[in-house]
Structures are given as structure tokens and as C-alpha cells.
Amino acid sequence: MRAPIGVFDSGLGGLTVLRALHERLPHEDLLYFGDTARVPYGTKGEKTVRAFARQDAGLLVARGVKMVVVACNTASAFALDHLCDVLPVPVLGVIEPGVRAALAATRGGTIGVIGTSGTIRSGRYQQGLAAAGLGPERIVAAECPLFVPLVEEGLGGHAMTRLAVAEYLRPVRDAHVDTLILGCTHYPLLSADIEAFLGSDVRLVDSAEALATAACGALAAAGALNDGDEPGRLSFILSDIPWKFAEIGARFLGKPIEGVESVGLDEMEAAGHALGGQA
Amino acid sequence: MRAPIGVFDSGLGGLTVLRALHERLPHEDLLYFGDTARVPYGTKGEKTVRAFARQDAGLLVARGVKMVVVACNTASAFALDHLCDVLPVPVLGVIEPGVRAALAATRGGTIGVIGTSGTIRSGRYQQGLAAAGLGPERIVAAECPLFVPLVEEGLGGHAMTRLAVAEYLRPVRDAHVDTLILGCTHYPLLSADIEAFLGSDVRLVDSAEALATAACGALAAAGALNDGDEPGRLSFILSDIPWKFAEIGARFLGKPIEGVESVGLDEMEAAGHALGGQA
């Protein structure tokens, strides 16, 4: 199928997922939507995140995508069930692939998960690990609310980031985790700081990689892969062009972002309404 | 007039303005709207901020306020002219009062202004100071993008905050300012850290105080003060109840927030449309 795969995130962090998908599926067209007008989601309540995610996914569906990939951990935590109910195309979230990858990576020790306040307080990662049989003594979770702004400011490696890592990850280190799920699309950009603090024997599970693998498998299973030979096109839609867009975007995507379309509040509203039902 | 004064902000930071207004005008009813669903505004583009501010102000007008106070610096920078055009009640922004207060405080030296990326890049404070006759050599401006998340996390006095202050305010200190405008409602909560870095002889201009003074003057001039004797009531509307709402809110207001009403996306949309015209 020639239709694009849709990917959405609260902002630009999901570009790490787009990048992983593009490497894994170089012949697929990918359409990215970043809700930069309302970013971040990670500090906000469940009802709000669900209402936003509905509009985000609705916009991608209106553009004819064949699958929706929820790159945002917070949106996956709070809205995935709802999106599966209301969308006419398959939907993939980031949490289940992340849990699977962590279970494959651990050497029988404790698994840690870090994320935004919303993601951690939702308990979804912890529930996923528990459902696989891990006892509560083998699961440790930590909110890292300053990591997103630190990454957006390009402060990987900075003294402030090292302080934040030490503060947030102390309980993770004290629990002697052998595997840590980076439960937010921004966090892979802090891998070096996290590794410096925890030691290089702790395996870091990048949810972007895990999600790309899952998307690839789901499309193949459904017979929906694009069988063309041309390189896949990347397209970008944002709800706001933020001040540091070019700089932040390139940091996540690994190259400059070109040809961005911006949408206004009106189109977002219409996309949510078009799905019908209530958030 | 018994009608309340409406105050809006991108989130909870504007509660510092509400507090200053309540102290100055203890018999006035105050209705606060915080756009916690879409906070922050300071990183976002002009068009987006204007569209949000329209909905925020429209919501207050729909609730019958006699005046709209724009507590958010970024919204004042980008939307004040538009709101003055479309609102049926008087509108006050935070920038002009802040400029006036800084001009009154300076002892003839250099004036600094710090704020979000949006506020500083808008150039509105700098233009206001220049219009009063200050040469460019007497104006210094700095973006402080991490201050808002640091305040929201309650990290005043923390080593990370001291590092951020030193990094952002070095050019301000090097310019030997004698007066510094705190051009964001969050920043008064970092006054101690800022003073420790700049020295206590630099006068800090709190835009919340300046705005409360201006609102008081404008209401008196219009004969619109409430002449009742009962204590004014404080009411709160938020577009999201964030995870750390109780903690963050009390930090800004100086006491617990009680009786909060929450509004959904639909009501926000309707409030914007009801004003007519385009953002």
C-alpha cells in the first residue's frame, strides 16, 4: 500500500521515532504530526491528553494514512485504548513495544522506567512489566520532569543536566537495575549522561527503536507494506512553528527538516470532531 | 461595579498577579483563567499565542468580567493590540506597566529585562524602553527558557537553578544593570537566586506588582471600582488540572487554591469564535 504511515507526538521529540521508522522502512512514506502548539503533554491530565491525541490522530486519518503510530509516551499511556476504538486504521503505541524490548534485554534483574509525570503516574509501563510476571521488587519507576526542557535547550552533557540525572536517577541506581526503559522520546538524547551516571552495564531501551520494530512487524503481518522501490518521502505538519524549531528539529531528526506545513486551531478542532463520539 | 475583574495567564504563573491585585483591591471579585492545557506560551510562535489569548480572553468576557488583565508576558507581547480591538471591555497588559516601573526605579543606569523566548524576541520591552528615550547601550535583554520549568518544579535555591541563573544572567551582570525587569510571572519566585547572583543593589521590577498598580488606576479612572464592603471573592477556571496543580498553585498564590472549575476544549473553541473576526 502506497499510503503513508502517520506518526504523531506532542511536539518534536517523536522525530526520533520517525528517524527509526525511516531507517527500518526506507520505502515507506511517513507523515509526521507534532502538536507543537500544545506541547508538552507530560505534565497534563489524562482527559486533556486524550482530547489532544484524538485531534492529532484525526488529522493524520484525514490525510489518508494507513496506520497511526503514537510516538508520544504520555499519549500512548492515556489515549491508546480510545484511539483503537475510534480510528478506522490500525494504531500502535509505544508502551507495549518498550515493555517487550526491556523484557528481552534484562538479564533477570530489576527493570527501571523513566518518563514524564503523566507516563509514570499512569502506571502503564509498570502494569505491562507486572503482567509479564515481574514482581514489584523488580520494577522501579521515576519521573524526570526537567529532562524534556533540558533536551529542548540542547543541554545534553551540561552540568545542569548532570545534576538533574543524578537527582532523578539516584533511586534507579540504588535499585541496581540492569535495564532502563527510556519512556519518553526526548530521553535518547540524554543517553550519554544517563550512562555516565548508571554505568555502561545498564542496558538502555530506546522506545523509538522498539516502536519502529513493532510497526514494521504489524505492517508486514497485515500485508500493508509499500512494495514500491522509490525512497519513502518524509512530510511534516506542525500546529505551531516554535522559536527554536529548526535547531530543535534537526537535533531529533539528525538532519534539517524541510517543507513543513503548519495547521491552525480550526483544522485541529475539525479533525477531532470528524472522528465522532467523545474523548 | 460588582462585576469581577478577569485575569488570564498561560498557566499558573499569573496567580502572582492575582495575589498582587487581591492585596491592592481587597473588595474586588477576581476571576482567574489559567490555560494549563496549553501552557507554556513562551516557546511558541506569535500566531499561536494570539489564537490562544483570544480564546482565553473570550472565556472571561463570556463570564461577564468588567476588565481583562493579561497577566502573561508572552500574550501581552503578541496579543494585546488584537485584544484591545476585539474585546468589549478594557484590557490591560503587563509590558507597559513593567516599563514604567523600571523607568521609575532606575538611577540613570542600564535597564535589563529577562523573559521567555517569545517575550524577548518580540522586542516589546526593549521598544517600550527605547520609546522613553533610553539609548540601545542602556538596554540589555536575555531569554531564560529554563526558568519556568525550574520554578514549576519548585527548585528555587537549588544548585541547578543557581547554574541557570549564572548562565542566563551573565550578560546582564556584565552590562552593570541597576534595574532588572522580571518579564515573566514565574520569575518573582527566583528573586532570591537572582539577587544572590546580581547583588542586592540591583532593583528587581516585579511585573505582577506593576500590573496591579496599573489595573487599580485604570478602574478608578473609569469609575468602575466596586464600592461594596464585603471581601472580594477569588474564582478559578483552568483548561487542565495538571499533575502537580495543588502544589504549584499554592506556591504562586501563597495559599491553597479552592473551588477550581475546569473547562474543556469545546468551551475554549466557542469562546474564541464568539468574539468574531480572526486572530
Side-chain angles (χ1 to χ4, degrees), chain B residues 5-246:
Chain B
I5 302 171
V7 179
F8 81 84
D9 182 51
S10 57
L12 298 173
L15 291 171
T16 59
V17 172
L18 194 80
R19 188 179 178 172
L21 270 173
H22 187 53
E23 281 166 14
R24 196 67 57 96
L25 296 165
H27 301 295
E28 294 291 336
D29 292 340
L30 303 176
L31 174 59
Y32 184 85
F33 174 68
D35 193 11
T36 39
R38 304 183 295 196
V39 70
Y41 287 3
T43 52
K44 294 164 189 169
E46 178 163 3
K47 197 175 147 196
T48 299
V49 171
R50 202 158 46 230
F52 288 167
R54 229 177 108 76
Q55 294 187 342
D56 303 342
L59 188 84
L60 291 171
V61 166
R63 303 295 178 105
V65 301
K66 63 184 171 188
M67 168 183 269
V68 169
V69 173
V70 186
C72 175
N73 281 266
T74 313
S76 294
F78 290 129
L80 191 65
D81 293 349
H82 174 69
L83 295 180
C84 287
D85 285 346
V86 298
L87 295 189
V89 297
V91 192
L92 271 188
V94 71
I95 291 179
E96 200 195 312
V99 166
R100 267 207 308 271
L103 292 169
T106 184
R107 286 145 294 177
T110 300
I111 295 180
V113 56
I114 55 176
T116 64
S117 297
T119 298
I120 297 303
R121 293 181 190 207
S122 78
R124 298 295 160 93
Y125 274 108
Q126 298 93 311
Q127 288 156 17
L129 293 168
L134 261 71
E137 75 289 355
R138 286 188 55 201
I139 303 170
V140 55
E143 299 174 30
C144 306
L146 282 169
F147 279 6
V148 168
L150 286 166
V151 168
E152 302 242 323
E153 291 305 315
L155 294 176
H158 190 280
M160 285 177 64
T161 302
R162 291 201 302 271
L163 274 174
V165 165
E167 192 135 325
Y168 292 141
L169 297 193
R170 192 161 295 123
V172 170
R173 191 173 67 177
D174 291 351
H176 303 290
V177 304
D178 73 358
T179 302
L180 179 66
I181 302 172
L182 306 180
C184 172
T185 48
H186 283 70
Y187 296 0
L189 279 77
L190 299 180
S191 291
D193 299 285
I194 293 171
E195 201 171 283
F197 181 74
L198 290 182
S200 58
D201 50 335
V202 174
R203 296 182 184 182
L204 303 185
V205 173
D206 175 348
S207 45
E209 292 293 336
L211 184 51
T213 305
C216 188
L219 281 174
L225 285 165
N226 182 12
D227 48 17
D229 270 347
E230 315 94 285
R233 283 170 309 198
L234 303 185
S235 312
F236 305 93
I237 309 175
L238 299 177
S239 52
D240 175 61
I241 306 296
W243 294 100
K244 297 180 184 172
F245 159 68

Side-chain angles (χ1 to χ4, degrees), chain A residues 36-48 51-52 55 78 117-118 121-122 143 145-146 149-150 153 155 158-160 163-164 167-168 239-244 262 265-266 269 273 278, chain B residues 36-48 51-52 55 78 117-118 121-122 143 145-146 149-150 153 155 158-160 163-164 167-168 239-244 262 265-266 269 273 278:
Chain A
T36 39
R38 304 184 295 195
V39 70
Y41 287 3
T43 53
K44 294 164 190 171
E46 178 163 3
K47 198 175 146 197
T48 299
F52 288 167
Q55 294 187 343
F78 291 129
S117 297
R121 292 181 190 207
S122 78
E143 300 174 29
L146 282 169
L150 285 166
E153 291 305 315
L155 293 175
H158 190 278
M160 286 177 63
L163 273 174
E167 192 135 325
Y168 293 140
S239 52
D240 176 59
I241 306 297
W243 294 101
K244 298 179 184 171
S262 82
L265 280 182
D266 283 355
E269 292 165 16
H273 295 312
Q278 284 293 312
Chain B
T36 39
R38 304 183 295 196
V39 70
Y41 287 3
T43 52
K44 294 164 189 169
E46 178 163 3
K47 197 175 147 196
T48 299
F52 288 167
Q55 294 187 342
F78 290 129
S117 297
R121 293 181 190 207
S122 78
E143 299 174 30
L146 282 169
L150 286 166
E153 291 305 315
L155 294 176
H158 190 280
M160 285 177 64
L163 274 174
E167 192 135 325
Y168 292 141
S239 52
D240 175 61
I241 306 296
W243 294 100
K244 297 180 184 172
S262 81
L265 280 183
D266 283 353
E269 294 165 13
H273 294 312
Q278 283 292 311

Side-chain angles (χ1 to χ4, degrees), chain A residues 199-260:
Chain A
S200 58
D201 50 334
V202 173
R203 296 183 186 183
L204 302 185
V205 173
D206 177 347
S207 43
E209 292 294 336
L211 184 51
T213 306
C216 188
L219 280 174
L225 285 165
N226 182 12
D227 48 17
D229 270 347
E230 315 94 285
R233 283 170 308 197
L234 304 185
S235 314
F236 305 92
I237 309 174
L238 300 177
S239 52
D240 176 59
I241 306 297
W243 294 101
K244 298 179 184 171
F245 159 69
E247 180 192 330
I248 301 173
R251 197 175 299 143
F252 288 117
L253 190 63
K255 61 179 182 181
I257 300 180
E258 280 160 11
V260 173

